[in-house]
Amino acid sequence: VAGSGDLDITATVTDESGIQKLLITVPTKTGNRTFTWEAGKANALVQKVGDNFTVTVDAAQLNEGPVSVVLRGTDTAGNTRYW
């Protein structure tokens, strides 16, 4: 990533039992930043529309080059997966 300005990162996460919690970890110049969405709890930093979860980051805070985002999702049955 290079430049500045807002950058939207969107992930599509689904499970037959539903998603209970999702952590989206983005590496920044000052360390990892984790955004958390939980069912039934308000969080203005993570927008959920259908199966899509979106966070907005300042591109100037990201390292130059490719950026790998880590997702950790927990379904309503308590099973956790990483992507």
Side-chain angles (χ1 to χ4, degrees):
V1 176
S4 62
D6 287 343
L7 175 67
D8 289 339
I9 299 171
T10 301
T12 302
V13 181
T14 62
D15 186 86
E16 290 178 5
S17 70
I19 302 299
Q20 180 64 37
K21 185 175 184 177
L22 181 68
L23 281 71
I24 303 169
T25 302
V26 181
T28 70
K29 292 178 181 177
T30 58
N32 290 340
R33 181 169 181 200
T34 299
F35 301 86
T36 302
W37 176 89
E38 289 187 67
K41 296 184 179 180
N43 183 342
L45 298 178
V46 181
Q47 302 300 315
K48 181 180 185 298
V49 178
D51 295 329
N52 296 317
F53 297 81
T54 301
V55 297
T56 302
V57 296
D58 180 358
Q61 299 302 312
L62 303 176
N63 293 316
E64 301 238 357
V67 173
S68 295
V69 176
V70 176
L71 303 175
R72 178 180 181 245
T74 303
D75 64 19
T76 57
N79 301 305
T80 299
R81 291 192 64 186
Y82 289 86
W83 298 271

